[in-house]
Amino acid sequence: MNGSTLFLASPELDWSPDGPRARQVEDVYFSVEDGLEEARAVFLAGCSLPDGFAGRERYTIAEMGFGTGLNFLAAWDMFRRTAPAGSRLHFVTLEGYPLRAEDAARALAPFGSLAELRDALIAAWPSPRKGAHRRIFDQGRVTLTVFQDDALSALENMELTADAWFLDGFAPAKNPDMWSPAVCAEIARLSRPGTRAATFTVAGAVRRGLAAAGFAVSKVPGYGRKRERLEAVFEGKAAVGTPSRAALPRLAQDEGPIAIVGGGIAAASLVHALRLRGRTAQVFAEDGLCAGASGAPRGLLSPRLEAADRPHVRATLAAFEYARALYGPQPGFTASGLLRAATDDAETARLSRLAQMLGSGYEAVSENDAASLTGLDADTAGRLHGLWIEDAGHFDPAGLVHALFGEQGVQARRVDTLERAGDAWILRDRAGAVLSEASTVVLAPGAGLSAFEAAARVSVEHTAGRIALFPAAERVPSAPIAWGHYAAPLEGPGLLVGATHLRGSDSGDPLEACEALAEGLAEHLPEIASTLGQGQSGWGGVRAAFADRLPATGGVPGSRFDDILLDHAKGGPLPEGRTQCLQPGLAVLGGFGARGFAHAPLLAEALASDLCGDPSPLELAGRQTLHPARFALRGLRRK
């Protein structure tokens, strides 16, 4: 990591009669003449599909080389037609040269029989940014996860157990790094005894690499003009649990009852992620839904911006994109874009650097462009310029929370204590009465996390704040503008200005907050501020954040945490039995600060994936940086 950009360059294509050809490697993606039938013959039949779907609640296909997505569409189509009702398909793939959506659409245009699936895929096509990108189709029945990186790095960051491998990289002579012995070893790490693999190539290096990694390899008749191809079956040693190099393990798979504490966007996102898997939970929210930081009258959906290629940056950008895809169809979301305004020369330089690092969807804009994009005239916009974020927007927080909760029931009861009894957690109220028993409890109460002794080593900091609402102004931007504070349009019409940040749990005097926010607006957008009437407090509350200002998803340190991980924290090897370092069946989902709506959906999806034994939607390195036990591990390093 630590590259000069956060995106990968898309390939330049030659549209030859034989099929789309990537100039970088001078190889075709597939044959236009029979590409779909080739995918079905080489990869689906080569991995004994659809027979492999029979009797399976979940089937995981891993792929080397996503390309145009044709293999995914072929697998999705077959799964739809042949898999048992109620089963789910995970398709996890990697790509080092991500295509532009328009190029993928052109490449897939000849396959009319896949038109419905093709259009859904193109509409959800991942950006070219590095890292893992999850997309969900067919109401949760089909899940696609694309790792965008070089092959070895992508594989090293996967946490899954594959039932089948589609080895569909460019030919070994064109792209040898994708077929190296190290890559074959990673494929084996992510396989189980009986995992099948198929590929079009019969190159000796590939046969030897797979055999050395534990696969029994055989040549079989090829398809079309290709005389032979390979099929292989993994006969190596079974991995114990989900194979991972992580010091901080995933939450253990659990098929038992789940209880969620919280009524905001974190709890709503987890309810939604579980529902996609046919799971339900008991939800406890003392003051009902949206009583905390999710209760503002309007919110901004914007990414966390950092000009660095680091695991947490990749993860939070992926979370923003996942949330944007989730909210896009919802009536409570307005896809307006957002201008991050520069306040001085240093900020101008920083935002320009971010535009260069982030690539498409992030544009450094001049004063004239800024005025046009925000719907303001040149006089009102003044010297406004900065970074335009195309996929940002604003939304109705309560509307999105209720949409994600759906028909999920919520108990307006306070969970005061958690008590471990055997293999279950007992949830009690203040009087000691039992509210519920659950095998897994997820704490997602925002600032209320600090009340739970069981999560004492995952301490949160409280930041209080307020927003102000102003009546109709003569000049209201059509898209939000942020500069530290922010201004966003309101229906009514009117203007929302936010937000104050005060350490602790006291959100301060409402009138003083309105005055402070009006002064900040007058400093940066004086023409708008001069037309405003008297403001009123629109929301006051407490946000929860961790010391490093990153959110958290996953398990909580247990009593054996220090003993198990101390040697590793000091530079020693990963210990055996490190899954025992966490408290069984206890998880945290929180610390979102002001970006709960941008980060909670993907982090909830990661937690639901853990509980259901699914492939993780996060890069392993990114998951580690967002693990609730990261602070305890850092503490051990300082001992």
Side-chain angles (χ1 to χ4, degrees):
M1 296 190 184
N2 296 318
S4 59
T5 67
L6 281 158
F7 64 92
L8 295 172
S10 296
E12 295 300 322
L13 302 184
D14 289 326
W15 299 94
S16 68
D18 294 332
R21 179 181 295 270
R23 292 178 188 171
Q24 285 94 330
V25 293
E26 284 299 313
D27 200 3
V28 295
Y29 285 92
F30 54 75
S31 168
V32 168
E33 181 180 340
D34 56 3
L36 177 57
E37 291 308 313
E38 181 179 48
R40 288 168 171 161
V42 174
F43 299 110
L44 298 178
C47 288
S48 295
L49 298 174
D51 292 347
F53 297 149
R56 301 293 300 275
E57 294 183 0
R58 178 183 62 248
Y59 194 89
T60 300
I61 298 172
E63 180 190 50
M64 299 284 291
F66 183 56
T68 65
L70 180 60
N71 292 340
F72 167 63
L73 294 179
W76 181 4
D77 175 62
M78 177 177 282
F79 186 80
R80 259 189 170 187
R81 291 185 287 104
T82 65
S87 61
R88 294 183 295 119
L89 173 66
H90 275 274
F91 195 99
V92 184
T93 181
L94 62 85
E95 181 56 59
Y97 302 97
L99 270 70
R100 290 175 284 265
E102 57 268 27
D103 286 337
R106 180 177 175 182
L108 294 170
F111 307 111
S113 64
L114 299 176
E116 178 192 351
L117 308 187
R118 176 195 64 210
D119 292 348
L121 173 61
I122 297 302
W125 196 260
S127 80
R129 270 171 280 284
K130 298 173 183 176
H133 301 257
R134 175 155 288 185
R135 299 292 184 266
I136 296 176
F137 304 96
D138 279 357
Q139 294 77 49
R141 195 169 183 223
V142 174
T143 299
L144 169 69
T145 310
V146 185
F147 284 73
Q148 293 183 163
D149 208 336
D150 67 80
L152 185 58
S153 295
L155 291 166
E156 288 174 342
N157 274 288
M158 290 181 183
E159 294 180 289
L160 59 89
T161 301
D163 297 300
W165 282 94
F166 294 177
L167 305 180
D168 194 23
F170 291 120
K174 308 282 188 179
N175 191 19
D177 290 345
M178 188 171 258
W179 304 93
S180 70
V183 164
C184 292
E186 286 298 308
I187 291 171
R189 178 181 70 86
L190 298 168
S191 300
R192 59 169 176 78
T195 293
R196 301 190 66 87
T199 181
F200 58 85
T201 183
V202 292
V206 175
R207 299 198 311 272
R208 292 188 294 272
L210 289 173
F215 283 87
V217 182
S218 58
K219 291 182 182 181
V220 297
Y223 179 83
R225 301 175 187 176
K226 296 176 181 176
R227 188 176 63 184
E228 295 177 311
R229 56 185 176 87
L230 293 184
E231 293 182 3
V233 179
F234 187 63
E235 296 181 339
K237 182 180 178 181
V240 179
T242 301
S244 172
R245 295 188 179 84
L248 301 175
R250 299 176 69 184
L251 196 69
Q253 182 177 352
D254 188 351
E255 298 179 358
I258 301 168
I260 302 170
V261 180
I265 186 58
S269 296
L270 184 56
V271 165
H272 173 76
L274 290 171
R275 185 189 304 118
L276 291 174
R277 294 161 169 81
R279 301 284 297 272
T280 59
Q282 284 188 297
V283 181
F284 297 90
E286 180 182 11
D287 298 316
L289 300 186
C290 304
S294 295
R298 204 70 185 164
L300 301 190
L301 185 72
S302 63
R304 182 183 184 277
L305 298 174
E306 184 176 339
D309 182 9
R310 296 174 180 165
H312 68 272
V313 178
R314 291 188 181 190
T316 53
L317 286 172
F320 167 72
E321 292 184 13
Y322 182 84
R324 177 64 175 80
L326 178 64
Y327 302 147
Q330 297 295 333
F333 179 75
T334 302
S336 60
L338 177 146
L339 178 71
R340 176 74 190 199
T343 55
D344 53 33
D345 290 344
E347 181 71 351
T348 299
R350 187 181 82 89
L351 294 177
S352 178
R353 170 65 174 153
L354 279 165
Q356 294 171 4
M357 284 205 70
L358 290 165
S360 61
Y362 296 81
E363 181 184 0
V365 294
S366 65
E367 295 162 13
N368 288 338
D369 289 337
S372 175
L373 289 166
T374 56
L376 298 172
D377 58 65
D379 290 338
T380 303
R383 296 181 59 79
L384 203 62
H385 65 283
L387 180 70
W388 177 252
I389 305 172
E390 182 178 355
D391 283 339
H394 54 104
F395 58 87
D396 168 20
L400 291 183
V401 167
H402 282 275
L404 293 178
F405 262 104
E407 298 180 359
Q408 168 71 52
V410 178
Q411 300 184 47
R413 306 285 298 275
R414 174 186 172 88
V415 177
D416 196 67
T417 59
L418 300 174
E419 174 187 328
R420 187 72 178 171
D423 294 331
W425 287 97
I426 300 176
L427 290 73
R428 299 183 183 274
D429 66 12
R430 187 169 295 173
V434 175
L435 299 173
S436 179
E437 292 188 16
S439 57
T440 293
V441 175
V442 179
L443 299 176
L449 179 63
S450 56
F452 291 93
E453 184 178 351
R457 296 186 73 178
V458 191
S459 59
V460 294
E461 299 178 357
H462 293 177
T463 302
R466 291 188 178 276
I467 62 174
L469 305 178
F470 294 88
E474 294 178 13
R475 303 178 180 93
V476 175
S478 59
I481 302 168
W483 62 89
H485 294 316
Y486 57 86
L490 283 172
E491 294 181 2
L495 191 70
L496 180 152
V497 181
T500 60
H501 291 266
L502 301 171
R503 188 178 294 276
S505 300
D506 184 357
S507 57
D509 181 82
L511 291 178
E512 292 179 2
C514 284
E515 291 175 0
L517 291 169
E519 290 173 3
L521 182 70
E523 181 180 354
H524 296 283
L525 293 168
E527 289 80 4
I528 292 178
S530 66
T531 69
L532 295 179
Q534 181 64 42
Q536 62 180 0
S537 178
W539 171 84
V542 182
R543 313 173 192 91
F546 296 115
D548 58 7
R549 297 300 179 262
L550 294 174
T553 182
V556 174
S559 59
R560 298 185 59 203
F561 186 89
D562 291 5
D563 291 340
I564 292 172
L565 287 175
L566 178 60
D567 183 60
H568 172 69
K570 296 295 186 179
L574 281 173
E576 296 290 337
R578 57 189 180 280
T579 55
Q580 305 301 312
C581 73
L582 303 178
Q583 293 193 53
L586 184 63
V588 163
L589 179 64
F592 295 106
R595 285 199 167 83
F597 283 83
H599 295 159
L602 183 61
L603 270 62
E605 171 68 14
L607 199 58
S609 296
D610 289 356
L611 288 171
C612 297
D614 294 341
S616 176
L618 298 171
E619 290 183 306
L620 181 152
R623 185 179 66 76
Q624 295 291 279
T625 66
L626 304 181
H627 200 292
R630 63 186 185 266
F631 304 104
L633 184 60
R634 291 170 192 170
L636 291 181
R637 290 169 181 155
R638 293 191 293 267
K639 277 191 176 182

